[in-house]
Amino acid sequence: MAPRTEPPFRADHVGSLLRPKELLAARAAGAPNLREIEDEAIRDVVRMQEELGLRSATDGEFRRTSWHMDFIYGLGGITKTDEQIRVRMINAEGESAFTSAGLAITGKVELREPIFADAFEFLASCTTSATPKLTIPSPSMVHYRGGTAAIDRSVYPSVEEFWDDLSAAYAAEVSALYDVGCRYLQLDDTSLAYLNDPAERAAHSDADHLRYIRQINAAIADRPADMHVTTHMCRGNYRSSWAASGGYDFVAEALFGELAVDGFFCEFDDERSGGFAPLRFVPPGKQVVLGLVTTKNGRLEDPDTLKRRIDEAAQYVPLDQLCLSPQCGFSSTVEGNALTVEEERAKLRLIVQVAEDVWG
């Protein structure tokens, strides 16, 4: 089987990586040379990814506090509020919560300046063999985090105007990222996975996956042909905890059939993600990156078990349209999941080895 030379790659990963202890300490202490410490940590983590044989490399999201809020607050018209967003999280030990400042739409949503463009340019300067990949939250997350109630109706008497401006801001961001050399962009989206959970649908009654799909498509419609865009969907990832459960059945037909991305990163690391049957809606030409390796703990998966699961998925979508990755990032927030850097490295190495065995 021919190797993939374009993103997503046979062995890929979601984006965030465990922050080094030195970086965490410097951030906590408010070190005046934090930028230089981040730069050195990113050089090291890019080198690690390339040495493991990964074809894509990220900066580990080392400059961020969380996978999404840093970006969202960078959009014009969006204000950080004193209200706390609280997301109930669950793990094997019980319940916890992810909290962050709230948001409000207090002005016209716009891209005042490119977000993360400088971070991407630095990442690209560090790569030698890997394709630099940038991850940003999808447009859906702006709405899913605050809902329609977060929109000042004196600014947007019509919610349709909000959606138009949001997609336009994202389209401008996509264009700006292309101009600085980004050819692999990933839109991270928990809403499209959360809405498979009946409890989440009940709690977010104004969330609509069909609307979200249309808005993402509008944001990326004018991207150049050589810019590869994927989406990653998970059910929550905070300190080894999750927020939702349920297979992809509720969103699958519209998601796989209508979302105009090049590939789908889907978590399938345990029973919470359901079976592979929803993949039957994936059309020819689209890649599915199977998130079979968990980032929730450090236990290393059995390679033969991973190969059997890939074979199971291939009953619904051709093997040539499949790739392999972890189910989520290792550190979606600065705190990171409950495993070591050595365990993280072992999981990434395993993904590369299994991908070579399966696809060559």
Side-chain angles (χ1 to χ4, degrees):
M1 189 171 294
R4 282 191 60 78
T5 58
E6 297 179 341
F9 298 104
R10 296 299 186 194
D12 218 315
H13 74 100
V14 169
S16 67
L17 297 164
L18 295 170
R19 277 61 160 177
K21 293 178 181 178
E22 298 80 8
L23 177 55
L24 290 172
R27 188 183 296 276
N33 62 333
L34 178 61
R35 184 77 180 194
E36 289 79 9
I37 295 170
E38 289 174 342
D39 288 351
E40 189 56 34
I42 290 167
R43 291 188 190 97
D44 289 343
V45 83
V46 169
R47 188 178 308 115
M48 181 267 286
Q49 292 167 79
E50 292 187 333
E51 289 174 350
L52 290 174
L54 288 163
R55 297 287 304 278
S56 67
T58 73
D59 64 3
E61 302 178 6
F62 282 1
R63 303 193 197 276
R64 309 184 204 180
T65 300
S66 78
W67 63 276
H68 61 326
M69 298 310 294
D70 301 66
F71 182 94
I72 291 172
Y73 291 138
L75 289 167
I78 296 180
T79 303
K80 184 186 294 188
T81 69
D82 293 333
E83 181 184 359
Q84 292 290 302
I85 297 173
R86 184 182 187 276
V87 181
R88 172 176 169 265
M89 307 297 291
I90 308 163
N91 61 27
E93 282 70 50
E95 293 188 15
S96 62
F98 165 76
T99 59
S100 74
L103 64 88
I105 314 300
T106 56
K108 293 291 187 180
V109 177
E110 61 181 344
L111 186 73
R112 293 174 179 166
E113 60 181 11
I115 304 171
F116 298 162
D118 56 343
F120 176 82
E121 289 183 287
F122 182 80
L123 167 64
S125 75
C126 298
T127 58
T128 56
S129 60
T131 298
K133 176 168 82 166
L134 184 66
T135 63
I136 64 174
S138 81
S140 314
M141 299 314 303
V142 176
H143 182 266
Y144 200 75
R145 276 290 174 257
T148 305
I151 302 173
D152 185 334
R153 300 309 288 270
S154 69
V155 176
Y156 285 113
S158 167
V159 177
E160 290 301 318
E161 295 177 18
F162 158 75
W163 286 117
D164 289 345
D165 284 355
L166 179 63
S167 288
Y170 263 84
E173 169 75 0
V174 170
S175 178
L177 292 173
Y178 183 86
D179 288 345
V180 298
C182 180
R183 299 296 183 268
Y184 188 4
L185 179 66
Q186 180 176 294
L187 302 176
D188 291 325
D189 192 313
T190 59
S191 70
L192 293 172
Y194 278 29
L195 288 174
N196 291 287
D197 189 325
E200 284 290 320
R201 295 200 296 275
H204 295 79
S205 58
D206 61 349
D208 179 356
H209 68 289
L210 299 177
R211 160 69 77 176
Y212 291 165
I213 290 167
R214 290 198 301 272
Q215 297 307 136
I216 295 171
N217 286 347
I220 64 176
D222 295 329
R223 73 187 187 277
D226 62 336
M227 186 179 200
H228 303 276
V229 178
T230 60
T231 189
H232 165 251
M233 300 161 289
C234 83
R235 295 155 182 78
N237 188 52
Y238 171 66
R239 306 183 78 168
S240 294
S241 300
W242 58 87
S245 300
Y248 294 94
D249 304 80
F250 182 76
V251 303
E253 187 169 5
L255 170 70
F256 296 126
E258 299 176 20
L259 189 61
V261 295
D262 300 299
F264 304 90
F265 281 75
C266 301
E267 74 175 350
F268 281 112
D269 63 320
D270 63 21
E271 65 280 355
R272 285 184 308 109
S273 306
F276 296 122
L279 298 181
R280 69 188 183 278
F281 294 111
V282 176
K286 301 292 182 79
Q287 298 297 126
V288 176
V289 189
L290 299 171
L292 300 178
V293 174
T294 192
T295 65
K296 296 291 197 287
N297 61 65
R299 293 189 298 275
L300 195 62
E301 285 79 0
D302 174 64
D304 290 333
T305 300
L306 296 179
K307 293 172 187 176
R308 283 196 296 271
R309 298 207 68 202
I310 293 169
D311 286 341
E312 291 170 12
Q315 297 175 27
Y316 300 98
V317 63
L319 182 62
D320 192 46
Q321 289 179 238
L322 297 176
C323 304
L324 179 64
S325 77
Q327 125 280 340
C328 197
F330 290 90
S331 188
S332 297
T333 64
V334 68
E335 295 88 355
N337 283 351
L339 71 168
T340 67
V341 172
E342 291 73 22
E343 290 168 335
E344 170 189 79
R345 187 181 294 112
K347 284 177 178 278
L348 292 173
R349 183 183 299 112
L350 174 65
I351 288 166
V352 172
Q353 292 171 342
V354 170
E356 288 177 350
D357 289 345
V358 172
W359 291 283

